[in-house]
Amino acid sequence: MKVLISGAGIAGPTLGYWLEQAGFEPTIVERAPEFRTGGYMIDFWGIGYEVAERMGLRDELTRRGYMVREVHVVNARGRKVASFGAEVFNRTTGGRYVSLPRGDLAEAIHGLIRGKVEMWFDDSIDRLEQDEKGVHVRFASGRNRRFDLVVGADGLHSRVRELVFGPESRFERFLGFGVAAFEVHGYRPRDELVYVMFTQVGRQIARFPMRGDRTMFLFVFADEDGARASAKTLGEQKAVLHGEFGGKGWECEEILAQLDRCDELYFDRVSQIRMEPVAGEARWSRGRVGLVGDAAGCVSLLAGEGAGIGMASAYLLAGELAQAGGDHHPAFAEYERRFAEFVLRKQVGARRLAGQFAPRTALGLHVRNIVMNLFKIPWVADITVGHEMKDDFEFPGYDFGESAAVRAKT
């Protein structure tokens, strides 16, 4: 069975890996001209970590990742106003936690499928036409191919979701924040293995030092109507960040000077994707087309677990397709039944967490800093952080060793 996967980030290659293990023939198409490295820093734990372990990636995560020692919050004069030890994350996850650039996780997954899964870069899906036996796909490059199934793993702004389910505006739930990230070489000062945040009402800059004398910066800013967070060109995006953070104290001017010299900037709205079943139809599938990862149920960048949820959704869909011998009807239905409510619960928690990055009131900022200082008390940190990070989900057992594609043909 031939399965087209749109998106070569994290969920798409994870799906490609497990489908190939089950004997399917996955093809991944990616709009970007080449594999993307770098990206913003993510915290990786929970169900995604479990999938990564099943893929044999634990040692690779340890090699590429960072074990953050402390989290500091500073004021406009650079004075520390809140802090706690980051070992609480390891304690509450049983040592199954790591921080790493999103691109490093993607690169580790790509290493498993390179040479095994067909990949097309610099192309995208232009049109989909389904019938009883398959899906005819026309690509932006002009080529045409038929596949048995198509899966959208193309993120928050999914083209597959738009073509099959309707415009993004039907499903996007904007959370009232914009976000940006970039990295530079040689920035000073450096606080090794310390995540430093400068927070004012409605805005925050964080920096973290990485190997190779690199530093990653993350900006978060409140934006009620989403107009500034929707800036399109690099110049417009830089202007928004200058307007938000210029003259605010701490290291803002030095960081903005580095921003002016960078050519690559991640910039987007902080949003969720909420897809509800309509008139008994499925949330995440229509006929032979399904969705995984952020395309199906983005929890938002600030939730901290989007990459892991994407990997888990890919593993579950591949497992259900393998178990069903390639029959997409029961596979899509069971995948959604198992996972949709879990994602909805995560989205509820993510909406609450988003406001902690850039509290909208002085009182909210003051309370957040008090709570962070209380994390210095181990039992307080364990209860609070443990509750937020607990993944109440158990994976079913799938047999990827027997070829589902062979079973489907027989």
Side-chain angles (χ1 to χ4, degrees):
M1 294 189 68
K2 299 181 185 300
V3 183
L4 176 65
I5 302 167
S6 176
I10 289 176
T14 301
L15 179 61
Y17 171 85
W18 288 109
L19 288 178
E20 194 275 335
Q21 292 287 305
F24 292 83
E25 296 180 27
T27 296
I28 299 176
V29 62
E30 167 59 44
R31 182 190 304 272
E34 59 188 12
F35 173 70
R36 300 180 197 178
T37 58
Y40 48 86
M41 188 71 71
I42 64 172
D43 298 319
F44 191 63
W45 78 92
I47 57 175
Y49 200 103
E50 184 171 343
V51 173
E53 285 184 319
R54 296 183 183 200
M55 297 169 74
L57 287 174
R58 180 160 189 164
D59 289 345
E60 190 71 3
L61 293 176
T62 300
R63 184 180 73 83
R64 292 174 178 268
Y66 299 84
M67 302 308 296
V68 181
R69 289 190 295 107
E70 294 182 327
V71 177
H72 291 175
V73 181
V74 299
N75 62 16
R77 296 185 299 277
R79 187 172 71 87
K80 186 166 61 176
V81 295
S83 67
F84 65 92
E87 70 273 4
V88 61
F89 301 121
N90 265 325
R91 286 201 309 270
T92 56
T93 60
R96 301 166 80 230
Y97 176 94
V98 67
S99 299
L100 77 168
R102 190 178 188 278
D104 282 12
L105 175 59
E107 191 172 29
I109 300 169
H110 274 250
L112 297 179
I113 64 173
R114 196 170 291 122
K116 298 178 180 179
V117 174
E118 184 179 29
M119 300 189 69
W120 301 339
F121 287 93
D122 200 20
D123 206 353
S124 60
I125 297 173
D126 183 61
R127 190 171 182 178
L128 296 170
E129 295 179 357
Q130 298 190 56
D131 56 42
E132 292 183 0
K133 296 183 178 180
V135 188
H136 181 81
V137 183
R138 187 177 72 188
F139 295 88
S141 62
R143 74 175 115 192
N144 293 271
R145 286 273 297 269
R146 277 187 68 82
F147 296 88
D148 296 292
L149 302 173
V150 174
V151 180
D154 42 355
L156 171 65
H157 307 298
S158 170
R159 174 62 172 162
V160 172
R161 188 184 62 235
E162 178 184 31
L163 287 171
V164 178
F165 298 84
E168 183 175 298
S169 57
R170 288 181 54 189
F171 312 110
E172 181 184 11
R173 302 294 183 268
F174 177 57
L175 300 188
F177 295 93
V179 65
F182 75 103
E183 67 175 65
V184 300
H185 287 81
Y187 182 83
R188 296 294 182 275
R190 284 175 67 87
D191 297 273
E192 297 296 338
L193 298 179
V194 177
Y195 195 82
V196 181
M197 302 185 296
F198 166 59
T199 314
Q200 293 183 324
V201 174
R203 63 180 60 87
Q204 177 173 286
I205 295 183
R207 62 168 164 83
F208 183 77
M210 301 189 300
R211 301 179 188 93
D213 201 19
R214 296 175 297 152
T215 298
M216 176 76 68
F217 298 99
L218 177 70
F219 302 76
V220 181
F221 56 93
D223 184 17
E224 290 297 333
D225 62 8
R228 285 165 294 147
S230 299
K232 298 299 182 185
T233 70
L234 181 60
E236 291 170 345
Q237 294 166 355
K238 289 182 177 181
V240 168
L241 296 177
H242 271 277
E244 286 291 330
F245 296 94
K248 301 303 181 184
W250 186 53
E251 301 168 12
C252 287
E253 296 307 313
E254 293 85 350
I255 294 171
L256 290 172
Q258 295 287 341
L259 170 70
D260 288 338
R261 291 190 283 272
C262 85
D263 296 322
E264 293 187 13
L265 174 69
Y266 173 85
F267 189 100
D268 206 348
R269 303 184 298 273
V270 177
S271 296
Q272 294 182 337
I273 294 297
R274 295 284 301 274
M275 300 184 70
E276 301 292 346
V278 178
E281 293 185 334
R283 284 182 176 91
W284 297 338
S285 63
R286 290 287 186 276
R288 291 177 172 268
V289 180
L291 301 173
V292 295
D294 282 353
C298 178
V299 295
S300 88
L301 179 146
L302 299 182
E305 204 176 358
I309 290 173
M311 291 183 71
S313 68
Y315 175 80
L316 285 165
L317 179 55
E320 294 301 332
L321 284 168
Q323 189 161 287
D327 187 343
H328 62 283
H329 295 291
F332 282 152
E334 188 63 11
Y335 153 64
E336 182 177 309
R337 186 193 69 80
R338 290 185 183 277
F339 206 49
E341 291 305 315
F342 175 85
V343 172
L344 287 175
R345 291 197 302 271
K346 286 292 180 179
Q347 288 180 325
V348 171
R351 290 196 292 274
R352 181 176 63 251
L353 182 63
Q356 301 306 307
F357 285 82
R360 298 176 186 273
T361 67
L363 177 60
L365 177 58
H366 181 66
V367 170
R368 188 208 68 174
N369 289 344
I370 289 175
V371 172
M372 291 180 70
N373 277 322
L374 287 174
F375 285 176
K376 294 174 182 176
I377 304 172
W379 68 266
V380 174
D382 290 348
I383 292 175
T384 306
V385 176
H387 174 74
E388 292 292 338
M389 298 182 69
K390 182 180 179 182
D391 281 348
D392 187 17
F393 186 85
E394 185 174 343
F395 286 107
Y398 296 124
D399 180 9
F400 289 96
E402 183 181 353
S403 170
V406 170
R407 295 205 309 274
K409 291 175 182 177
T410 57

